[in-house]
Amino acid sequence: MNDEQQPLDENKIISERRAKLTQIRGSAASAYPNDFKPDSNAADLHTRFDHIEAAELEPMAVAVAVAGRMVLQRLMGRASFATLKDGAAQLQIYVREENVGAEAYAEFKRFDLGDILAATGTLFKTRTGELTVQVKTVRLLAKSLRPLPDKFHGIADPEIKYRQRYLGLIADSSTRDRFEKRSRILGALRAFMVGNGFLEVETPMLHPIPGGAAALPFKTHHNALDMPMFLRIAPELYLKRLIVGGFDRVFEINRSFRNEGVSTRHNPEFTMLEFYAAYTDYRWLMDYTEKLLRHLAQIATGGEVFHYQGREVDFASPFDRLTITAAIEKYAPEYKGQDLSDVELLRRELKRHHVAVDEGPLASAGAGSLQLALFEEVAEHLLWQPTFIIDYPVEVSPLARPADGAKHLTERFELFIAGREAANAFSELNDPEEQAERFRAQALAKEAGDAEAMYYDADYIRALEYGMPPTGGCGIGVDRVVMLLTDAANIRDVILFPHLRAEEPS
């Protein structure tokens, strides 16, 4: 079937189905009744009765009331088969004219694939051993006006899968399986945090000052207060206020928003786990994060070693820990032995990799920022096995505590798995005067044109002035972890309703 024929055929089918709906509306029957309550679901019935032999099942006369979407129909004279799908499982029904009556049987034969049906009857097994309902009554609960995708070819266009997620869930069982696994991962994550003494909290999604990360926010306006507001880019500063208030361990599974590009690993709206623990540091956080991810891998894959996009990922072994320069030398050996604190060398090498260093944030950057930029070019994408990159420069870590004995570095790590960042964490900066100075530096950067630089948050400084204990904090990209544990190549595959460009008018 060619592309021009497809819409014409679909329009014809829709027109025919609308005519059937009009006919139903003209009869005494309700077009969309809501008086049927199933007492059984397909998955449970298969679990309970699949192992029972046909000769044992029939005398039991198990009565059931089932409902679901008709995904298969085989019309055969005065007796027909159909398959109903409810949730994750399917169940066959057998409809005989002598059991349901001539009028009901004729109506059943006019039902279309995709219609939501209700059926009552008793269970039996066919000669091939398939669990089936011998139908006594069958009726329409909801008319499907649009045809389902071809069951053999599914949905070829990935954009349709994302834009019409409901259709993908109907047509592709692997899509449903992935989101059920996502739900289990989130449940396991929450249970692990609570089991380790963390309190789950909720913080605002509308912020008067966007903070907690270097990112471009979405801006809106609160009419009643007549003030600008921002969708949160991170909950960090609010969670640390709670540490000041005396909650020693807090976490939030939150939705955050960043007004940045869309790609296979970025969605403007995404899910993060952020957690903070008083009297810990970034080394404690590395150990804890390893334990958490191993636990999630066990729940999602059944083990600590699994495959992602055809390559093995090992969560069982201790995660590697490298500084930025050590990672550059390991994954780009041509830099081994070179002076990676030499600003001119770094700028020259970045230019060779087509990175703009004469304009934008890197124009006046020091060695630390330039090292990070070189790392991102030559090493980051090669970090397949889980690797903590540690000790980030102060100028790119405005909320992190400086390292003892090396004030130009911070006690910070980012975790990379399968060539992309999965987590960001640090020992928190709890010195209010130094934090204020860092905010002022960020404000100057914003005035100089850095749209992602942080705002000065005076209330957060005031909170720190009351005293915040030594604290470690971590943010984990939940969507990226789910991608990894469900073998999804695109972040859109693990977000039920990802953001897309406006749909072209048909």
Coordinates of all heavy atoms in Angstrom, one line a residue, residues 227-281:
M227 N 4.0 39.0 39.5 CA 5.5 38.8 39.6 C 5.9 37.7 38.6 O 5.1 36.8 38.3 CB 5.9 38.4 41.0 CG 5.3 37.1 41.5 SD 5.8 36.8 43.2 CE 7.5 36.4 43.1
P228 N 7.1 37.8 38.1 CA 7.6 36.7 37.2 C 7.9 35.5 38.0 O 8.3 35.5 39.2 CB 8.9 37.3 36.6 CG 9.3 38.3 37.6 CD 8.1 38.9 38.2
M229 N 7.6 34.3 37.4 CA 7.9 33.0 38.1 C 8.7 32.2 37.0 O 8.6 32.4 35.8 CB 6.6 32.3 38.5 CG 5.8 33.1 39.5 SD 6.6 33.2 41.2 CE 6.2 31.6 41.8
F230 N 9.3 31.1 37.6 CA 10.1 30.3 36.7 C 9.8 28.8 37.0 O 9.7 28.5 38.2 CB 11.6 30.5 36.9 CG 12.0 31.9 36.6 CD1 12.0 32.9 37.6 CD2 12.5 32.3 35.3 CE1 12.4 34.2 37.4 CE2 12.9 33.6 35.1 CZ 12.8 34.6 36.1
L231 N 9.6 28.0 36.0 CA 9.5 26.5 36.3 C 10.9 26.1 36.8 O 11.9 26.5 36.3 CB 9.2 25.8 35.0 CG 7.8 26.0 34.5 CD1 7.6 25.2 33.2 CD2 6.7 25.6 35.5
R232 N 10.9 25.2 37.8 CA 12.1 24.9 38.5 C 13.1 24.2 37.5 O 12.7 23.3 36.7 CB 11.9 24.0 39.7 CG 11.5 22.6 39.5 CD 11.5 21.9 40.8 NE 10.8 20.6 40.6 CZ 10.1 20.0 41.6 NH1 10.1 20.5 42.8 NH2 9.5 18.8 41.4
I233 N 14.4 24.5 37.6 CA 15.4 23.8 36.9 C 16.0 22.8 37.8 O 16.7 21.8 37.3 CB 16.5 24.8 36.3 CG1 17.1 25.6 37.4 CG2 15.9 25.6 35.2 CD1 18.2 26.6 37.0
A234 N 15.8 22.9 39.1 CA 16.3 21.9 40.1 C 15.7 22.3 41.4 O 15.5 23.4 41.7 CB 17.8 21.9 40.2
P235 N 15.5 21.3 42.3 CA 14.9 21.6 43.6 C 16.0 21.8 44.7 O 15.7 21.9 45.9 CB 14.2 20.3 44.0 CG 15.0 19.2 43.3 CD 15.6 19.8 42.0
E236 N 17.3 21.9 44.3 CA 18.4 21.8 45.2 C 18.4 22.8 46.3 O 18.5 22.4 47.5 CB 19.7 22.0 44.4 CG 21.0 22.0 45.3 CD 22.2 21.9 44.5 OE1 22.2 21.6 43.3 OE2 23.3 22.3 45.0
L237 N 18.1 24.1 46.0 CA 18.2 25.1 47.1 C 17.1 25.0 48.1 O 17.3 25.3 49.3 CB 18.3 26.5 46.5 CG 19.4 26.8 45.5 CD1 19.4 28.2 45.0 CD2 20.8 26.4 46.1
Y238 N 16.0 24.5 47.7 CA 14.9 24.2 48.6 C 15.2 23.0 49.5 O 14.9 23.1 50.7 CB 13.6 24.0 47.9 CG 13.0 25.3 47.4 CD1 13.2 25.8 46.1 CD2 12.2 26.1 48.2 CE1 12.7 27.0 45.6 CE2 11.7 27.3 47.8 CZ 11.9 27.7 46.5 OH 11.4 28.9 46.0
L239 N 15.7 22.0 48.9 CA 16.1 20.8 49.7 C 17.1 21.1 50.8 O 17.1 20.6 51.9 CB 16.5 19.7 48.8 CG 15.4 19.1 47.9 CD1 16.0 18.1 46.9 CD2 14.3 18.4 48.8
K240 N 18.1 22.0 50.4 CA 19.1 22.3 51.3 C 18.6 23.2 52.4 O 19.1 23.2 53.6 CB 20.3 22.9 50.6 CG 21.1 21.9 49.8 CD 22.5 22.3 49.3 CE 22.4 23.2 48.2 NZ 23.7 23.4 47.5
R241 N 17.6 24.0 52.1 CA 16.9 24.8 53.2 C 16.3 23.8 54.3 O 16.3 24.1 55.4 CB 15.8 25.7 52.6 CG 16.3 26.9 51.9 CD 15.1 27.6 51.2 NE 15.3 28.9 50.7 CZ 15.7 29.2 49.4 NH1 15.8 28.1 48.5 NH2 15.9 30.4 49.0
L242 N 15.9 22.7 53.8 CA 15.3 21.7 54.8 C 16.4 21.1 55.6 O 16.2 20.7 56.8 CB 14.6 20.6 54.0 CG 13.3 21.1 53.2 CD1 12.7 19.9 52.5 CD2 12.3 21.8 54.1
I243 N 17.6 20.9 55.1 CA 18.7 20.5 55.9 C 19.0 21.5 57.0 O 19.3 21.1 58.1 CB 20.0 20.2 55.0 CG1 19.7 19.1 54.0 CG2 21.2 19.9 55.8 CD1 19.7 17.7 54.6
V244 N 19.0 22.8 56.6 CA 19.2 23.8 57.6 C 18.1 23.7 58.7 O 18.4 23.9 59.9 CB 19.1 25.2 56.9 CG1 19.1 26.3 58.0 CG2 20.3 25.4 56.0
G245 N 16.9 23.4 58.2 CA 15.8 23.3 59.2 C 15.8 22.1 60.1 O 15.0 22.0 61.0
G246 N 16.7 21.1 59.8 CA 16.8 20.0 60.8 C 16.5 18.7 60.2 O 16.6 17.7 60.9
F247 N 16.0 18.6 59.0 CA 15.8 17.3 58.3 C 17.1 16.8 57.8 O 17.7 17.3 56.9 CB 14.8 17.4 57.2 CG 13.4 17.6 57.6 CD1 12.6 18.6 57.0 CD2 12.8 16.7 58.5 CE1 11.3 18.8 57.4 CE2 11.4 16.9 58.9 CZ 10.7 17.9 58.3
D248 N 17.7 15.8 58.5 CA 19.1 15.4 58.1 C 19.2 14.6 56.8 O 20.3 14.6 56.2 CB 19.7 14.6 59.3 CG 20.2 15.5 60.4 OD1 20.1 16.7 60.2 OD2 20.5 14.9 61.5
R249 N 18.1 13.9 56.4 CA 18.2 13.2 55.1 C 16.8 13.4 54.4 O 15.8 13.0 54.9 CB 18.4 11.7 55.4 CG 19.8 11.4 55.9 CD 20.1 9.9 55.8 NE 21.5 9.6 56.2 CZ 22.1 8.4 56.0 NH1 21.4 7.4 55.4 NH2 23.3 8.3 56.3
V250 N 16.9 14.0 53.3 CA 15.7 14.3 52.5 C 15.9 13.9 51.0 O 17.1 13.9 50.5 CB 15.3 15.8 52.5 CG1 14.9 16.2 53.9 CG2 16.4 16.7 52.0
F251 N 14.8 13.5 50.4 CA 14.9 13.3 48.9 C 13.6 13.7 48.2 O 12.6 13.8 48.9 CB 15.2 11.8 48.6 CG 14.1 10.9 48.7 CD1 13.4 10.4 47.6 CD2 13.7 10.4 49.9 CE1 12.3 9.6 47.7 CE2 12.6 9.5 50.0 CZ 11.9 9.1 48.9
E252 N 13.7 13.9 47.0 CA 12.6 14.3 46.1 C 12.7 13.7 44.8 O 13.8 13.8 44.1 CB 12.4 15.8 46.0 CG 11.1 16.2 45.3 CD 10.8 17.7 45.3 OE1 11.7 18.4 45.8 OE2 9.7 18.0 44.9
I253 N 11.7 13.0 44.3 CA 11.6 12.5 42.9 C 10.8 13.6 42.2 O 9.6 13.6 42.4 CB 11.0 11.1 42.8 CG1 11.8 10.1 43.6 CG2 10.9 10.7 41.4 CD1 11.2 8.7 43.7
N254 N 11.5 14.4 41.4 CA 10.8 15.6 41.0 C 10.8 15.8 39.5 O 11.7 15.2 38.8 CB 11.6 16.8 41.6 CG 13.0 16.9 41.1 OD1 13.3 17.5 40.1 ND2 14.0 16.3 41.9
R255 N 9.9 16.6 39.0 CA 9.9 17.0 37.6 C 10.6 18.4 37.6 O 10.3 19.3 38.3 CB 8.5 17.2 37.1 CG 7.7 15.9 37.2 CD 8.2 14.9 36.2 NE 7.7 15.1 34.8 CZ 8.0 14.3 33.8 NH1 8.7 13.2 34.0 NH2 7.5 14.6 32.6
S256 N 11.6 18.4 36.7 CA 12.3 19.7 36.5 C 12.2 20.1 35.0 O 11.9 19.2 34.1 CB 13.8 19.6 36.9 OG 13.9 19.4 38.3
F257 N 12.5 21.4 34.7 CA 12.3 21.9 33.4 C 13.5 22.8 33.0 O 13.9 23.6 33.7 CB 11.0 22.8 33.4 CG 9.8 22.1 33.9 CD1 9.6 22.0 35.3 CD2 8.9 21.4 33.1 CE1 8.5 21.3 35.8 CE2 7.8 20.8 33.6 CZ 7.6 20.7 35.0
R258 N 14.0 22.5 31.8 CA 15.1 23.3 31.3 C 14.8 23.7 29.8 O 14.5 22.8 29.0 CB 16.4 22.6 31.5 CG 16.7 22.4 33.0 CD 18.0 21.7 33.3 NE 18.1 21.4 34.7 CZ 19.1 20.8 35.3 NH1 20.1 20.3 34.6 NH2 19.1 20.6 36.6
N259 N 15.0 25.0 29.6 CA 14.6 25.5 28.2 C 15.8 25.3 27.3 O 16.4 26.3 26.9 CB 14.2 27.0 28.4 CG 13.4 27.4 27.2 OD1 13.3 26.7 26.2 ND2 12.8 28.6 27.3
E260 N 16.1 24.0 27.0 CA 17.2 23.7 26.2 C 16.8 22.8 25.0 O 15.7 22.5 24.9 CB 18.3 23.1 27.0 CG 17.8 21.9 27.8 CD 18.8 21.4 28.9 OE1 19.7 22.2 29.3 OE2 18.7 20.2 29.2
G261 N 17.8 22.3 24.3 CA 17.5 21.6 23.1 C 16.9 20.2 23.4 O 16.9 19.7 24.5
V262 N 16.3 19.6 22.4 CA 15.7 18.3 22.4 C 16.6 17.3 21.6 O 17.0 17.6 20.5 CB 14.3 18.3 21.8 CG1 13.7 16.9 21.8 CG2 13.4 19.3 22.6
S263 N 16.9 16.2 22.3 CA 17.8 15.2 21.6 C 17.4 13.8 22.1 O 16.5 13.7 22.9 CB 19.2 15.5 21.9 OG 19.6 15.2 23.2
T264 N 18.2 12.9 21.7 CA 18.0 11.5 22.2 C 18.2 11.3 23.7 O 17.8 10.4 24.3 CB 18.9 10.5 21.4 OG1 20.3 10.9 21.7 CG2 18.6 10.5 20.0
R265 N 18.9 12.3 24.3 CA 19.1 12.2 25.7 C 18.6 13.5 26.5 O 18.8 13.6 27.7 CB 20.6 12.1 26.0 CG 21.5 13.2 25.6 CD 22.9 12.9 25.9 NE 23.5 11.9 25.1 CZ 24.8 11.5 25.2 NH1 25.5 12.0 26.1 NH2 25.2 10.5 24.4
H266 N 17.9 14.4 25.8 CA 17.4 15.6 26.5 C 15.9 15.8 26.2 O 15.5 15.7 25.0 CB 18.1 16.9 26.0 CG 19.5 16.9 26.4 ND1 20.6 16.5 25.6 CD2 20.1 17.3 27.6 CE1 21.7 16.7 26.3 NE2 21.5 17.1 27.5
N267 N 15.1 16.0 27.2 CA 13.7 16.4 27.0 C 13.5 17.7 27.9 O 14.1 17.7 29.1 CB 12.8 15.3 27.5 CG 11.3 15.6 27.1 OD1 11.0 15.6 25.9 ND2 10.5 15.7 28.1
P268 N 12.8 18.7 27.5 CA 12.7 19.9 28.3 C 12.1 19.7 29.7 O 12.4 20.4 30.6 CB 11.8 20.8 27.5 CG 11.8 20.3 26.1 CD 12.1 18.8 26.2
E269 N 11.3 18.6 29.8 CA 10.7 18.2 31.1 C 11.2 16.8 31.4 O 11.1 15.9 30.6 CB 9.2 18.2 30.9 CG 8.4 17.8 32.2 CD 6.9 17.8 31.9 OE1 6.5 18.2 30.8 OE2 6.1 17.4 32.8
F270 N 11.8 16.7 32.6 CA 12.4 15.4 32.9 C 12.3 15.1 34.4 O 11.9 16.0 35.2 CB 13.9 15.4 32.5 CG 14.7 16.5 33.1 CD1 15.5 16.3 34.2 CD2 14.7 17.8 32.6 CE1 16.2 17.3 34.8 CE2 15.5 18.8 33.2 CZ 16.2 18.5 34.3
T271 N 12.6 13.9 34.8 CA 12.5 13.4 36.2 C 13.9 13.3 36.8 O 14.8 12.7 36.2 CB 11.7 12.1 36.2 OG1 10.4 12.3 35.6 CG2 11.5 11.7 37.7
M272 N 14.0 13.8 38.0 CA 15.3 13.7 38.7 C 15.0 13.1 40.1 O 13.9 13.3 40.7 CB 15.9 15.1 38.9 CG 16.4 15.8 37.6 SD 18.0 15.2 37.2 CE 19.0 15.9 38.5
L273 N 16.0 12.4 40.6 CA 16.0 12.1 42.0 C 17.1 13.0 42.6 O 18.3 13.0 42.2 CB 16.5 10.7 42.3 CG 17.0 10.3 43.7 CD1 15.8 10.4 44.7 CD2 17.6 9.0 43.8
E274 N 16.7 13.8 43.6 CA 17.7 14.6 44.3 C 17.6 14.2 45.8 O 16.5 14.1 46.4 CB 17.5 16.1 44.2 CG 17.9 16.6 42.8 CD 18.6 17.9 42.7 OE1 19.0 18.4 43.8 OE2 18.7 18.5 41.6
F275 N 18.8 14.0 46.4 CA 18.8 13.7 47.8 C 20.0 14.3 48.5 O 21.0 14.6 47.9 CB 18.8 12.1 48.0 CG 20.0 11.4 47.5 CD1 21.1 11.1 48.2 CD2 20.0 11.0 46.1 CE1 22.2 10.4 47.7 CE2 21.0 10.3 45.6 CZ 22.1 10.0 46.4
Y276 N 19.8 14.6 49.8 CA 20.8 15.3 50.6 C 20.9 14.6 52.0 O 19.9 14.3 52.6 CB 20.4 16.8 50.8 CG 20.4 17.5 49.5 CD1 19.4 17.4 48.6 CD2 21.6 18.2 49.0 CE1 19.5 18.0 47.3 CE2 21.7 18.8 47.8 CZ 20.6 18.6 46.9 OH 20.7 19.2 45.7
A277 N 22.1 14.4 52.4 CA 22.4 13.8 53.7 C 23.4 14.6 54.5 O 24.5 14.8 54.1 CB 22.9 12.4 53.5
A278 N 22.9 15.0 55.7 CA 23.8 15.8 56.6 C 25.0 14.9 57.1 O 24.8 13.7 57.2 CB 23.0 16.4 57.7
Y279 N 26.1 15.5 57.3 CA 27.3 14.8 57.9 C 27.8 13.7 57.0 O 28.3 12.7 57.4 CB 27.0 14.2 59.3 CG 26.3 15.3 60.2 CD1 24.9 15.2 60.5 CD2 27.0 16.4 60.7 CE1 24.3 16.2 61.3 CE2 26.4 17.4 61.4 CZ 25.1 17.3 61.7 OH 24.5 18.2 62.5
T280 N 27.7 14.0 55.7 CA 28.3 13.1 54.7 C 29.1 14.0 53.7 O 29.0 15.2 53.7 CB 27.3 12.3 53.9 OG1 26.5 13.2 53.1 CG2 26.4 11.5 54.8
D281 N 29.8 13.4 52.8 CA 30.6 14.1 51.8 C 30.4 13.4 50.4 O 29.7 12.4 50.3 CB 32.0 14.3 52.2 CG 32.8 13.0 52.3 OD1 32.3 12.0 51.9 OD2 33.9 13.1 52.8

